[in-house]
Amino acid sequence: VILRFFLIFTQIGYVHPDEFFQGPSLAARMTFPTIKTFITWEFNSETFEPQRSVTVPYLISGVPFYLIRNVLLRYLHRSFFKMVIPKVLLIAPRLFLFIILFLIERCLWDWKSLEYLLWNLMWPVTVLLVRPFSNTSETLFLALLYILIVRQQVRDCRLKSMVIGVLSSMGFFSRFTFIIFVGLLGLYHLVKPYLFNRRKSFKGYLITFCDMVLGFGVTS
């Protein structure tokens, strides 16, 4: 974790251009009107019909940019801010993802477990999951669903099923391949009561399914 945090501030390059085009460039233009950025065709509403939603990229990069605009610009001298703004805009989404990933890891594994050690030894975790790729948001949404459905951190209720639908929608519109991974988790959430207590009726299955569809549909 310490190495991951250190690399956020020392790695000034990029793994793939998408880590800018799939988030920071969109959020920077929306948050700082004076900053001109390149918008790729799948997000561009001026020259093409947009093919992807900007909601999730804005959540990942826009939230830290919003804090920068309303906190740093208020308390730092503008001349100094102009000197540091390129570095700040590069690091802010990575630091935001580091915090989110760290909190999710606390729900998934114990600090001293072998699984947590092996997880942190993998280079995609250290390098890729702290960069604003669409793959990163896809992974984070899948981890949240795993915590809700498999780890049982929240008791089963109708609101939980709706939240599952909401997270599934956000993951799907972040990256369409998400539906392949979340399908098994959704199926497990439906049949889990029957597997463990065998008390749920067909009506109960139907209500759970409708709640998930409602959450997915409203968010979409």
mmCIF file of all heavy atoms in Angstrom, residues 166-192:
data_model
loop_
_atom_site.group_PDB
_atom_site.id
_atom_site.type_symbol
_atom_site.label_atom_id
_atom_site.label_comp_id
_atom_site.label_asym_id
_atom_site.label_seq_id
_atom_site.Cartn_x
_atom_site.Cartn_y
_atom_site.Cartn_z
ATOM 1 N N VAL A 166 -28.562 -0.399 -9.128
ATOM 2 C CA VAL A 166 -27.911 0.892 -9.394
ATOM 3 C C VAL A 166 -26.434 0.697 -9.730
ATOM 4 O O VAL A 166 -25.925 1.237 -10.723
ATOM 5 C CB VAL A 166 -28.063 1.826 -8.179
ATOM 6 C CG1 VAL A 166 -27.189 3.066 -8.338
ATOM 7 C CG2 VAL A 166 -29.523 2.231 -7.999
ATOM 8 N N LEU A 167 -25.730 -0.081 -8.903
ATOM 9 C CA LEU A 167 -24.308 -0.321 -9.134
ATOM 10 C C LEU A 167 -24.077 -1.088 -10.437
ATOM 11 O O LEU A 167 -23.102 -0.834 -11.150
ATOM 12 C CB LEU A 167 -23.705 -1.089 -7.960
ATOM 13 C CG LEU A 167 -23.625 -0.331 -6.628
ATOM 14 C CD1 LEU A 167 -23.122 -1.252 -5.522
ATOM 15 C CD2 LEU A 167 -22.714 0.880 -6.754
ATOM 16 N N SER A 168 -24.991 -2.008 -10.756
ATOM 17 C CA SER A 168 -24.872 -2.763 -12.006
ATOM 18 C C SER A 168 -25.017 -1.834 -13.210
ATOM 19 O O SER A 168 -24.296 -1.973 -14.199
ATOM 20 C CB SER A 168 -25.937 -3.861 -12.061
ATOM 21 O OG SER A 168 -25.779 -4.781 -10.999
ATOM 22 N N SER A 169 -25.949 -0.893 -13.123
ATOM 23 C CA SER A 169 -26.131 0.061 -14.213
ATOM 24 C C SER A 169 -24.898 0.942 -14.390
ATOM 25 O O SER A 169 -24.429 1.160 -15.517
ATOM 26 C CB SER A 169 -27.359 0.938 -13.940
ATOM 27 O OG SER A 169 -27.474 1.951 -14.911
ATOM 28 N N MET A 170 -24.353 1.442 -13.288
ATOM 29 C CA MET A 170 -23.180 2.316 -13.368
ATOM 30 C C MET A 170 -21.977 1.558 -13.924
ATOM 31 O O MET A 170 -21.193 2.089 -14.712
ATOM 32 C CB MET A 170 -22.869 2.897 -11.992
ATOM 33 C CG MET A 170 -23.963 3.803 -11.459
ATOM 34 S SD MET A 170 -23.586 4.521 -9.851
ATOM 35 C CE MET A 170 -22.287 5.661 -10.300
ATOM 36 N N GLY A 171 -21.836 0.300 -13.519
ATOM 37 C CA GLY A 171 -20.740 -0.511 -14.052
ATOM 38 C C GLY A 171 -20.913 -0.807 -15.529
ATOM 39 O O GLY A 171 -19.956 -0.757 -16.303
ATOM 40 N N PHE A 172 -22.159 -1.072 -15.935
ATOM 41 C CA PHE A 172 -22.434 -1.378 -17.340
ATOM 42 C C PHE A 172 -22.170 -0.182 -18.240
ATOM 43 O O PHE A 172 -21.580 -0.313 -19.319
ATOM 44 C CB PHE A 172 -23.880 -1.855 -17.497
ATOM 45 C CG PHE A 172 -24.296 -2.077 -18.924
ATOM 46 C CD1 PHE A 172 -23.796 -3.142 -19.648
ATOM 47 C CD2 PHE A 172 -25.188 -1.211 -19.537
ATOM 48 C CE1 PHE A 172 -24.173 -3.354 -20.971
ATOM 49 C CE2 PHE A 172 -25.570 -1.412 -20.849
ATOM 50 C CZ PHE A 172 -25.062 -2.481 -21.575
ATOM 51 N N PHE A 173 -22.595 1.008 -17.813
ATOM 52 C CA PHE A 173 -22.385 2.196 -18.630
ATOM 53 C C PHE A 173 -20.963 2.737 -18.515
ATOM 54 O O PHE A 173 -20.572 3.615 -19.279
ATOM 55 C CB PHE A 173 -23.413 3.273 -18.287
ATOM 56 C CG PHE A 173 -24.762 3.007 -18.876
ATOM 57 C CD1 PHE A 173 -25.756 2.406 -18.129
ATOM 58 C CD2 PHE A 173 -25.021 3.323 -20.197
ATOM 59 C CE1 PHE A 173 -27.006 2.141 -18.672
ATOM 60 C CE2 PHE A 173 -26.260 3.062 -20.767
ATOM 61 C CZ PHE A 173 -27.254 2.466 -20.006
ATOM 62 N N SER A 174 -20.239 2.214 -17.554
ATOM 63 C CA SER A 174 -18.814 2.522 -17.505
ATOM 64 C C SER A 174 -18.053 1.697 -18.525
ATOM 65 O O SER A 174 -17.142 2.195 -19.211
ATOM 66 C CB SER A 174 -18.265 2.251 -16.099
ATOM 67 O OG SER A 174 -16.870 2.395 -16.066
ATOM 68 N N ARG A 175 -18.444 0.423 -18.641
ATOM 69 C CA ARG A 175 -17.796 -0.488 -19.591
ATOM 70 C C ARG A 175 -18.756 -1.636 -19.856
ATOM 71 O O ARG A 175 -19.159 -2.344 -18.927
ATOM 72 C CB ARG A 175 -16.468 -0.985 -19.018
ATOM 73 C CG ARG A 175 -15.593 -1.702 -20.014
ATOM 74 C CD ARG A 175 -14.221 -1.975 -19.406
ATOM 75 N NE ARG A 175 -13.390 -2.714 -20.310
ATOM 76 C CZ ARG A 175 -12.675 -2.187 -21.302
ATOM 77 N NH1 ARG A 175 -12.694 -0.895 -21.486
ATOM 78 N NH2 ARG A 175 -11.941 -2.946 -22.080
ATOM 79 N N PHE A 176 -19.127 -1.856 -21.102
ATOM 80 C CA PHE A 176 -20.207 -2.798 -21.418
ATOM 81 C C PHE A 176 -19.874 -4.239 -21.059
ATOM 82 O O PHE A 176 -20.771 -5.059 -20.868
ATOM 83 C CB PHE A 176 -20.580 -2.701 -22.900
ATOM 84 C CG PHE A 176 -19.523 -3.188 -23.852
ATOM 85 C CD1 PHE A 176 -19.524 -4.494 -24.281
ATOM 86 C CD2 PHE A 176 -18.521 -2.327 -24.300
ATOM 87 C CE1 PHE A 176 -18.550 -4.960 -25.159
ATOM 88 C CE2 PHE A 176 -17.551 -2.783 -25.171
ATOM 89 C CZ PHE A 176 -17.550 -4.091 -25.605
ATOM 90 N N THR A 177 -18.582 -4.579 -20.968
ATOM 91 C CA THR A 177 -18.208 -5.954 -20.589
ATOM 92 C C THR A 177 -18.577 -6.268 -19.147
ATOM 93 O O THR A 177 -18.555 -7.429 -18.738
ATOM 94 C CB THR A 177 -16.700 -6.166 -20.774
ATOM 95 O OG1 THR A 177 -15.980 -5.147 -20.046
ATOM 96 C CG2 THR A 177 -16.306 -6.071 -22.247
ATOM 97 N N PHE A 178 -18.930 -5.244 -18.380
ATOM 98 C CA PHE A 178 -19.275 -5.428 -16.973
ATOM 99 C C PHE A 178 -20.433 -6.395 -16.796
ATOM 100 O O PHE A 178 -20.488 -7.140 -15.814
ATOM 101 C CB PHE A 178 -19.627 -4.065 -16.361
ATOM 102 C CG PHE A 178 -19.958 -4.109 -14.903
ATOM 103 C CD1 PHE A 178 -18.948 -4.132 -13.956
ATOM 104 C CD2 PHE A 178 -21.275 -4.105 -14.470
ATOM 105 C CE1 PHE A 178 -19.247 -4.160 -12.608
ATOM 106 C CE2 PHE A 178 -21.581 -4.131 -13.127
ATOM 107 C CZ PHE A 178 -20.562 -4.161 -12.191
ATOM 108 N N ILE A 179 -21.368 -6.400 -17.744
ATOM 109 C CA ILE A 179 -22.555 -7.230 -17.617
ATOM 110 C C ILE A 179 -22.203 -8.712 -17.582
ATOM 111 O O ILE A 179 -22.913 -9.533 -16.982
ATOM 112 C CB ILE A 179 -23.545 -6.930 -18.773
ATOM 113 C CG1 ILE A 179 -24.958 -7.362 -18.394
ATOM 114 C CG2 ILE A 179 -23.094 -7.564 -20.071
ATOM 115 C CD1 ILE A 179 -25.590 -6.533 -17.313
ATOM 116 N N ILE A 180 -21.079 -9.077 -18.200
ATOM 117 C CA ILE A 180 -20.646 -10.480 -18.204
ATOM 118 C C ILE A 180 -20.244 -10.911 -16.804
ATOM 119 O O ILE A 180 -20.581 -12.006 -16.345
ATOM 120 C CB ILE A 180 -19.465 -10.670 -19.180
ATOM 121 C CG1 ILE A 180 -19.892 -10.285 -20.599
ATOM 122 C CG2 ILE A 180 -18.938 -12.095 -19.133
ATOM 123 C CD1 ILE A 180 -18.761 -10.303 -21.601
ATOM 124 N N PHE A 181 -19.545 -10.034 -16.089
ATOM 125 C CA PHE A 181 -19.056 -10.375 -14.751
ATOM 126 C C PHE A 181 -20.156 -10.288 -13.703
ATOM 127 O O PHE A 181 -20.212 -11.098 -12.774
ATOM 128 C CB PHE A 181 -17.903 -9.433 -14.366
ATOM 129 C CG PHE A 181 -16.765 -9.439 -15.338
ATOM 130 C CD1 PHE A 181 -16.526 -8.360 -16.171
ATOM 131 C CD2 PHE A 181 -15.927 -10.544 -15.441
ATOM 132 C CE1 PHE A 181 -15.488 -8.363 -17.073
ATOM 133 C CE2 PHE A 181 -14.880 -10.554 -16.344
ATOM 134 C CZ PHE A 181 -14.657 -9.464 -17.160
ATOM 135 N N VAL A 182 -21.037 -9.303 -13.841
ATOM 136 C CA VAL A 182 -22.051 -9.101 -12.822
ATOM 137 C C VAL A 182 -23.208 -10.082 -12.963
ATOM 138 O O VAL A 182 -23.986 -10.269 -12.019
ATOM 139 C CB VAL A 182 -22.572 -7.642 -12.875
ATOM 140 C CG1 VAL A 182 -23.563 -7.454 -14.018
ATOM 141 C CG2 VAL A 182 -23.203 -7.237 -11.555
ATOM 142 N N GLY A 183 -23.331 -10.733 -14.126
ATOM 143 C CA GLY A 183 -24.435 -11.659 -14.332
ATOM 144 C C GLY A 183 -24.472 -12.782 -13.308
ATOM 145 O O GLY A 183 -25.530 -13.093 -12.744
ATOM 146 N N LEU A 184 -23.318 -13.374 -13.032
ATOM 147 C CA LEU A 184 -23.260 -14.470 -12.063
ATOM 148 C C LEU A 184 -23.561 -13.986 -10.649
ATOM 149 O O LEU A 184 -24.218 -14.690 -9.874
ATOM 150 C CB LEU A 184 -21.880 -15.132 -12.121
ATOM 151 C CG LEU A 184 -21.564 -15.909 -13.401
ATOM 152 C CD1 LEU A 184 -20.136 -16.447 -13.360
ATOM 153 C CD2 LEU A 184 -22.551 -17.053 -13.597
ATOM 154 N N LEU A 185 -23.081 -12.783 -10.309
ATOM 155 C CA LEU A 185 -23.366 -12.247 -8.978
ATOM 156 C C LEU A 185 -24.859 -11.973 -8.816
ATOM 157 O O LEU A 185 -25.440 -12.239 -7.759
ATOM 158 C CB LEU A 185 -22.568 -10.959 -8.754
ATOM 159 C CG LEU A 185 -21.075 -11.109 -8.471
ATOM 160 C CD1 LEU A 185 -20.419 -9.744 -8.348
ATOM 161 C CD2 LEU A 185 -20.847 -11.917 -7.200
ATOM 162 N N GLY A 186 -25.497 -11.432 -9.871
ATOM 163 C CA GLY A 186 -26.926 -11.177 -9.809
ATOM 164 C C GLY A 186 -27.729 -12.455 -9.662
ATOM 165 O O GLY A 186 -28.699 -12.516 -8.896
ATOM 166 N N LEU A 187 -27.324 -13.485 -10.393
ATOM 167 C CA LEU A 187 -27.998 -14.778 -10.290
ATOM 168 C C LEU A 187 -27.833 -15.364 -8.890
ATOM 169 O O LEU A 187 -28.779 -15.909 -8.319
ATOM 170 C CB LEU A 187 -27.433 -15.737 -11.342
ATOM 171 C CG LEU A 187 -28.038 -17.132 -11.387
ATOM 172 C CD1 LEU A 187 -29.523 -17.073 -11.721
ATOM 173 C CD2 LEU A 187 -27.298 -18.007 -12.408
ATOM 174 N N TYR A 188 -26.640 -15.229 -8.329
ATOM 175 C CA TYR A 188 -26.390 -15.730 -6.978
ATOM 176 C C TYR A 188 -27.266 -14.996 -5.957
ATOM 177 O O TYR A 188 -27.788 -15.607 -5.014
ATOM 178 C CB TYR A 188 -24.914 -15.553 -6.632
ATOM 179 C CG TYR A 188 -24.557 -15.974 -5.226
ATOM 180 C CD1 TYR A 188 -24.462 -17.320 -4.888
ATOM 181 C CD2 TYR A 188 -24.318 -15.023 -4.237
ATOM 182 C CE1 TYR A 188 -24.136 -17.712 -3.601
ATOM 183 C CE2 TYR A 188 -23.995 -15.408 -2.946
ATOM 184 C CZ TYR A 188 -23.910 -16.744 -2.634
ATOM 185 O OH TYR A 188 -23.592 -17.124 -1.358
ATOM 186 N N HIS A 189 -27.440 -13.684 -6.144
ATOM 187 C CA HIS A 189 -28.281 -12.921 -5.227
ATOM 188 C C HIS A 189 -29.732 -13.402 -5.279
ATOM 189 O O HIS A 189 -30.431 -13.409 -4.251
ATOM 190 C CB HIS A 189 -28.206 -11.435 -5.588
ATOM 191 C CG HIS A 189 -29.054 -10.560 -4.724
ATOM 192 N ND1 HIS A 189 -28.835 -10.393 -3.367
ATOM 193 C CD2 HIS A 189 -30.152 -9.790 -5.023
ATOM 194 C CE1 HIS A 189 -29.736 -9.574 -2.871
ATOM 195 N NE2 HIS A 189 -30.548 -9.197 -3.856
ATOM 196 N N LEU A 190 -30.174 -13.828 -6.453
ATOM 197 C CA LEU A 190 -31.551 -14.304 -6.599
ATOM 198 C C LEU A 190 -31.758 -15.662 -5.946
ATOM 199 O O LEU A 190 -32.766 -15.892 -5.264
ATOM 200 C CB LEU A 190 -31.934 -14.372 -8.077
ATOM 201 C CG LEU A 190 -32.234 -13.048 -8.788
ATOM 202 C CD1 LEU A 190 -32.418 -13.294 -10.278
ATOM 203 C CD2 LEU A 190 -33.478 -12.394 -8.197
ATOM 204 N N VAL A 191 -30.825 -16.581 -6.148
ATOM 205 C CA VAL A 191 -31.021 -17.963 -5.676
ATOM 206 C C VAL A 191 -30.442 -18.203 -4.292
ATOM 207 O O VAL A 191 -30.673 -19.257 -3.710
ATOM 208 C CB VAL A 191 -30.405 -18.966 -6.676
ATOM 209 C CG1 VAL A 191 -30.990 -18.774 -8.058
ATOM 210 C CG2 VAL A 191 -28.877 -18.828 -6.728
ATOM 211 N N LYS A 192 -29.715 -17.243 -3.744
ATOM 212 C CA LYS A 192 -29.061 -17.425 -2.448
ATOM 213 C C LYS A 192 -30.024 -17.792 -1.331
ATOM 214 O O LYS A 192 -29.733 -18.712 -0.540
ATOM 215 C CB LYS A 192 -28.282 -16.146 -2.106
ATOM 216 C CG LYS A 192 -27.578 -16.165 -0.764
ATOM 217 C CD LYS A 192 -26.792 -14.870 -0.574
ATOM 218 C CE LYS A 192 -27.700 -13.678 -0.748
ATOM 219 N NZ LYS A 192 -26.979 -12.402 -0.562
#
